[in-house]
Each structure stands twice: as structure tokens, then as C-alpha cells.
Amino acid sequence: MAQGPGLSTEGRAEEPFWFTESLPPYWDQNLRTQVRVHRVLHEERSPYQHIQVFELGSFGPVLLLDGIVQTAAADEFVYHEMVALLPCLQVGQPREVLIIGGGDGGALRQVLRFRSLRRAVMVDLDERVIEVSRRFLPSVSQGAFDDPRAEIIIGDGQEWVRRFRRRFDVAIIDLTDPTSDGPSNPLYSAEFFRDVRRALRARGIISVQSGSLTYQADWVRKLRATLASAFPYVRLHTAMVPSYQAGLYAFLLGSGRPLQQLTRAAFQRRLDGVTGEPQYLSYDIYRASMALPPYLARVLSG
Ligand code: SAM
């Protein structure tokens, strides 16, 4: 039984059923993805978003916001190691990290793995996303919300980022995709990126989840240009996140200082300062994630 994009599951047919994921307007409109929902674990409408948690068989419990897959228990580590572990390894020994969004707790868990870390400040708009993720996707945060080094702020990332000055080594922008009227839209702007730069220390790094390079290369190109208007050094990394069904997913890094390519030895030294072994990010993946096929390199340089 197909479900329309973003439609509630209330009044749905018997489980299991097919759910059609609504894709952001700038995605290829000739594309739809359907997932088989074995069980609806939770559903509610918060003041900001439609929150759903589905049991999706091979992907396990999955968080959706406004009908779009955000985090799947089975492969969240790919996304969170790229958006959070990578920039922290790139900067070296992060002491203070800012996370804007990240309500599922996956990015927070990654930064708390650094023994050098003193403080992780996470600003998410929607307390309900945090509570629902704690309860239905505990394997994503793994207690990170209760770590004494974590400071959880409920509020708009755009307002909060303006309160910080030269404080953070890394800023992770782990927001919902910009949609026609979503709460994250204003945070994909030059103004917001300039505010983030002011919140970072001189050699600080910003990391931005940047959507699908395969299905929205033009959006990634524009976002990179917007980021480059605030940060002189910008670099693109990519990875495949199976549950996103988005082909190559894009992650942009930005800094006021050159983004050096770490040597294997330097990468390993920095990894020695991290608790546990990464499941996705290795030195070879780090290097490979910077490589682009010529056709996409051409689109991005367009
Ligand atoms: N990995 C996901 C992705 O790539 O689409 C993002 C996951 S995370 C759950 C997205 C978070 O962004 C949500 O918890 C949402 O509440 C938060 N968010 C959206 N707009 C925001 C804003 N203006 N300020 C702070 N958080 C915001």
C-alpha cells in the first residue's frame, strides 16, 4: 500500500506497508523512494516537525522528520563519522565543539569519543526529537546526552550561534534538509556561516551536511559557494549512506586556515586520541572521500 509523500500513517493500512519518502523540492522530481514499514514505533507532531519512527527491517529503527529519513540505527555511523568524527580528526585534538541540530545524538556521540574534549554544546530546536531518539534509537546516542561534558540547549541554532565568539575548535551543522518552509532553511545561508565563523577559533573548522551530490549536484555547488563566502578554505568529502538512498552524499568542510591533507601517520596519531575503532572512517576512506568522478567534478566547477 503506497503512502503519499509525508502523509501521516494515522489511518494506515495494516503493517507492514510501503511508505513513500517525500524528497526535498530541489531533488530530482522524477524520483521517489519507497521503504517497507514493518512497524510504526512512534508518531507525533511537535510544534516544529512531524516526527515518525519506523521499524524498517534491514535498516532497524529509523527516524523520519516531515517524511524524510534522518537516521537509521543500522548505518547511522557512516553519516555521523563523516559529519562529526572527520572534522574533529582534521582539527586534531578538539577541546570545545558546537553542534547545531543533531537531535538524534549521533554527532554528539562521535565528538565525545575524543579524550581531549572538554565541552560539547548541542543546540537543537526540537526537544521532542531528542526525547524520541533517546527512547526509540538508543543505539545512536549511546548515553551521549547524559555525558557530563555535553551541554544540550533547546533553541534556534541561528539565534544561539550569535552568542559565541572564538570559542569552538569545530562546528558541526547537522540539520534537516532545507525544504520549502522548514525550520533549517535560514541556516544554509552566508549570514549563518559568517556567524559560525565568528564562533570558531582562528583555526576552527565547520562541517556541513550538504545533501546528495548524485541527485542535487547543483544545490551542492551553490552551497559550497555560499560556504566559501564565509570561509576561505572549503573542501568536499563524500560517502554512501545506504538508508538515505541518495547516491553519493556530500559533506563540506570550511576553515579560515588551509585544510591540510593529513598523512597516514598524522591521521593515525589523531585516531589514537579517540575512544573505540571507527566503523567507517579509515585513512584510505578519508583520502578516497575527497576524490570525485570527472562528471561530478565538472558539475561542481560549473
Ligand atoms: N542526519 C540528518 C540529515 O542529514 O538530514 C539530520 C538529523 S538531525 C535529527 C536534524 C535536526 O535539525 C533535528 O533534530 C531538527 O530539530 C534540527 N533543526 C532543524 N532546524 C533547526 C534550527 N533552526 N535550529 C536548531 N536545530 C534545528
Side-chain angles (χ1 to χ4, degrees), residues 46 48-49 63 65 68-71 79-80 83 99-105 122-127 129-130 133 153 155-159 173-177 182-188 192 209-211 244 249 251:
S46 81
Y48 307 100
Q49 306 164 102
L63 172 71
L65 296 176
I68 299 176
V69 169
Q70 302 291 309
T71 307
Y79 173 86
H80 289 120
V83 81
I99 301 169
I100 302 291
D104 51 47
M122 188 188 108
V123 182
D124 196 288
L125 186 66
D126 197 338
E127 188 159 24
V129 173
I130 295 175
S133 301
I153 297 170
D156 185 338
Q158 188 170 33
E159 282 162 33
I173 313 305
D174 179 17
L175 289 164
T176 43
D177 297 305
S184 63
N185 286 12
L187 288 74
Y188 289 93
F192 174 72
Q209 80 90 346
S210 304
Y244 284 178
Y249 210 76
F251 303 89

Side-chain angles (χ1 to χ4, degrees), residues 8 11 26 32 53 57 68 97 104 107 117 123 143 179 199 213-214 223 226 256 260 275:
S8 164
Y26 47 74
R32 283 205 176 156
V53 183
I68 299 176
V97 173
D104 51 47
L117 192 88
V123 182
T179 52
L213 190 53
T214 304
L223 186 61
T226 306
Q260 52 170 320
T275 313

Side-chain angles (χ1 to χ4, degrees), residues 255-273:
S255 182
R257 299 285 168 78
L259 289 162
Q260 52 170 320
Q261 291 203 12
L262 301 176
T263 62
R264 188 178 293 277
F267 184 92
Q268 191 49 54
R269 267 197 310 280
R270 293 171 187 213
L271 209 47
D272 293 343

